[in-house]
Amino acid sequence: MSDQEKTKRRDFLFTASYALGAVGVGAAVWPLIDQMNPDSSVKALASTEVDISTIEPGKSITVLWRGKPVFIKRRTKDEIAEAKAVKLEDLIHPEKDEDRAKNSEWLVMIGVCTHLGCVPLGDKGEYNGWFCPCHGSHYDTSGRIRKGPAPTNLEIPKYEFVNSNTIKIG
Ligand code: FES
């Protein structure tokens, strides 16, 4: 092999491993956290209570539940009206807003993009809801997919209101 060929081969190997490294980092995040979770018997019982009394209208918090981020958003009147005004036939994954939010002021969703698992950003995107920057999925103010590669709406976990200030997830 000539020196020139060796150099080319080295360059190729470097580029290939570099690309693999970049993909590896993103893909490794959830499996790694998943391995740290307790086994399924403990998981089945796991629930968490969240104090929502300090969340202002229009703001949201993110809590970790079973190793996944959960968005709790206190919606403004405009955001609720926007979510309710959408016709089901305009939706990629048709779901009524009232079937997604038990109390229309509060939206509780798993904050994992249904495309390939990135965490979407709040108050972003073309539908004033969430935007996933990984491949450009836009979710509306009900967390429903409106544009981009994600196939389904952001998932709603099992949750209930313990009282007006507390939500129990799980
Ligand atoms: S992971 Fe969100 S758009 Fe691909």
Side-chain angles (χ1 to χ4, degrees):
M1 200 185 284
S2 73
D3 278 357
Q4 201 186 357
E5 277 169 341
K6 278 184 193 162
T7 308
K8 269 192 193 153
R9 183 167 157 69
R10 206 174 49 231
D11 282 355
F12 169 75
L13 284 175
F14 174 74
T15 311
S17 60
Y18 179 75
L20 199 67
V23 169
V25 171
V29 176
W30 287 120
L32 205 67
I33 292 175
D34 220 37
Q35 279 168 19
M36 288 166 10
N37 285 341
D39 73 21
S40 53
S41 59
V42 178
K43 260 168 120 175
L45 299 172
S47 63
T48 186
E49 291 199 2
V50 185
D51 178 3
I52 55 170
S53 61
T54 56
I55 307 172
E56 301 287 334
K59 301 285 179 213
S60 68
I61 60 166
T62 303
V63 297
L64 210 60
W65 174 67
R66 293 186 183 175
K68 290 181 181 168
V70 173
F71 299 152
I72 302 177
K73 164 100 187 197
R74 184 172 185 179
R75 298 189 296 183
T76 62
K77 288 194 167 55
D78 286 352
E79 286 167 336
I80 297 166
E82 205 176 318
K84 290 191 185 300
V86 179
K87 295 195 192 96
L88 278 188
E89 56 262 37
D90 292 339
L91 294 170
I92 295 165
H93 175 192
E95 275 185 325
K96 287 184 189 161
D97 184 61
E98 46 268 45
D99 292 336
R100 294 178 52 78
K102 291 185 181 186
N103 169 339
S104 60
E105 197 177 357
W106 296 97
L107 192 59
V108 182
M109 308 183 295
I110 296 190
V112 175
C113 180
T114 59
H115 180 222
L116 291 176
C118 289
V119 178
L121 305 170
D123 293 319
K124 295 264 184 305
E126 291 178 22
Y127 294 85
N128 300 324
W130 287 262
F131 173 67
C132 181
C134 288
H135 314 93
S137 286
H138 298 253
Y139 297 90
D140 67 14
T141 59
S142 189
R144 295 171 298 200
I145 182 66
R146 304 299 298 277
K147 185 178 175 186
T152 55
N153 301 335
L154 292 177
E155 192 186 333
I156 308 290
K158 182 172 176 275
Y159 72 93
E160 63 186 61
F161 287 86
V162 177
N163 54 50
S164 56
N165 286 332
T166 314
I167 290 178
K168 181 178 164 195
I169 304 167

